[in-house]
């Protein structure tokens, strides 16, 4: 749940790249799937968050199906000292914009991995 300012936070293991059988020696870059629910199930929005500097981003057909470079950049989280916990965990910031020109790209209603 987001707080009254629309902020969220969770702690998890940073994911790694994984192979998929889309092509010979193809790998998905590290990512986290987000499924956002509004006031009703029908308002579900799905997207993926990536990590900056991942060399697999340039080769990933899912990431690159977002045609606009600026929009693709909005799918990449930013390392964040403010949310990094000393001796425990790195912090990353991923601001999700629901609408407008700077909206975070979302997957189609038909869905995809
Ligand atoms: Fe995945």
């Amino acid at each position: 749940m987001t707080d009254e300012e629309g902020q969220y936070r969770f702690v998890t293991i940073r994911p790694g790249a994984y192979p998929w059988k889309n092509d010979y020696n193809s790998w998905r870059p590290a990512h986290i799937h987000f499924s956002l629910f509004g006031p009703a199930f029908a308002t579900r929005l799905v997207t993926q968050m990536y990590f900056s500097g991942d060399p697999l981003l340039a080769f990933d057909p899912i990431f690159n199906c977002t045609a606009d470079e600026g929009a693709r950049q909005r799918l990449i989280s930013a390392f964040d000292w403010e949310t990094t916990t000393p001796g425990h965990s790195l912090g990353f910031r991923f601001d999700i914009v629901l609408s407008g020109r700077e909206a975070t790209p979302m997957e189609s209603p038909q869905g995809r991995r």
Side-chain angles (χ1 to χ4, degrees):
M1 297 292 289
T2 55
D3 66 15
E4 58 280 350
E5 295 178 333
Q7 297 181 346
Y8 69 94
R9 175 188 174 93
F10 61 86
V11 177
T12 187
I13 297 168
R14 182 174 174 167
Y18 62 81
W20 63 327
K21 297 179 179 170
N22 189 48
D23 199 354
Y24 173 74
N25 202 15
S26 59
W27 292 75
R28 292 291 333 273
H31 60 277
I32 295 176
H33 295 258
F34 280 77
S35 180
L36 313 172
F37 290 93
F41 187 78
T43 58
R44 179 177 181 229
L45 296 171
V46 175
T47 192
Q48 296 184 29
M49 179 198 99
Y50 299 90
F51 296 88
S52 64
D54 191 324
L56 295 171
L57 288 174
F59 307 99
D60 184 55
I62 303 288
F63 176 71
N64 288 295
C65 75
T66 298
D68 179 65
E69 171 64 19
R72 277 196 306 275
Q73 292 305 310
R74 293 194 294 277
L75 293 171
I76 301 173
S77 62
F79 172 70
D80 183 38
W81 279 115
E82 272 189 43
T83 53
T84 292
T85 306
H88 182 260
S89 60
L90 299 178
F92 292 86
R93 184 174 197 91
F94 185 58
D95 293 330
I96 301 170
V97 179
L98 299 177
S99 63
R101 293 180 58 192
E102 300 299 315
T104 303
M106 299 289 170
E107 296 182 9
S108 69
Q110 292 78 29
R112 65 170 197 261
R113 296 180 66 205

